[in-house]
Amino acid sequence: MTHDERTQLLRDAGDRTLSSYIRERLFGESASTAFRRPAKKQNRPSADRVALAKLLGALGQSRLSSNMNQIAKAVHMGALPVSDDLERELEMACADIKEMRNTLMKALGRR
């Protein structure tokens, strides 16, 4: 195509893209929809996923596991007397922490 031919096509296309105009001229009015590329899927996470990821990160950076480990060491050394009530509460705390982590991971589509 010569420079003049391209200039003429651009002028004729008006506010349409050159490729859209050429398709329309070649294939008719239906070409503008028949040959349209599907819109690209945006890879932006939703606000909920961002919030969940931040929450999971905060849980991971918290001192919960370290504190639970220190409590376990104190129990094993005999420095912390363990009653049935304390043992039950510690087990519930561990289960709650695990459930929070699992729920966050599931909400984020992770295993």
Side-chain angles (χ1 to χ4, degrees), residues 12-76:
D12 292 346
D15 61 347
R16 292 170 288 186
T17 64
L18 185 57
S19 62
S20 173
Y21 173 72
I22 292 171
R23 274 192 214 100
E24 188 176 304
R25 294 287 299 192
L26 286 171
F27 302 109
E29 292 292 323
S30 63
S32 60
T33 57
F35 294 101
R36 186 172 292 157
R37 289 183 187 153
K40 286 186 178 179
K41 182 180 175 186
Q42 292 190 355
N43 290 331
R44 272 188 221 143
S46 69
D48 287 344
R49 287 184 64 84
V50 170
L52 290 169
K54 285 182 181 179
L55 198 55
L56 184 61
L59 181 61
Q61 289 181 348
S62 73
R63 303 222 6 107
L64 281 172
S65 61
S66 178
N67 290 344
M68 294 301 285
N69 192 36
Q70 289 174 356
I71 291 171
K73 283 183 182 178
V75 168
H76 289 297

Side-chain angles (χ1 to χ4, degrees), residues 42-111:
Q42 292 190 355
N43 290 331
R44 272 188 221 143
S46 69
D48 287 344
R49 287 184 64 84
V50 170
L52 290 169
K54 285 182 181 179
L55 198 55
L56 184 61
L59 181 61
Q61 289 181 348
S62 73
R63 303 222 6 107
L64 281 172
S65 61
S66 178
N67 290 344
M68 294 301 285
N69 192 36
Q70 289 174 356
I71 291 171
K73 283 183 182 178
V75 168
H76 289 297
M77 292 179 6
L80 179 64
V82 180
S83 65
D84 289 340
D85 288 339
L86 178 59
E87 185 176 352
R88 197 170 25 262
E89 287 180 32
L90 289 172
E91 287 173 357
M92 286 178 15
C94 289
D96 288 345
I97 293 167
K98 186 175 183 179
E99 184 179 348
M100 283 187 276
R101 180 189 177 279
N102 291 341
T103 301
L104 288 169
M105 293 292 277
K106 184 176 180 182
L108 289 168
R110 305 276 189 228
R111 289 208 230 194

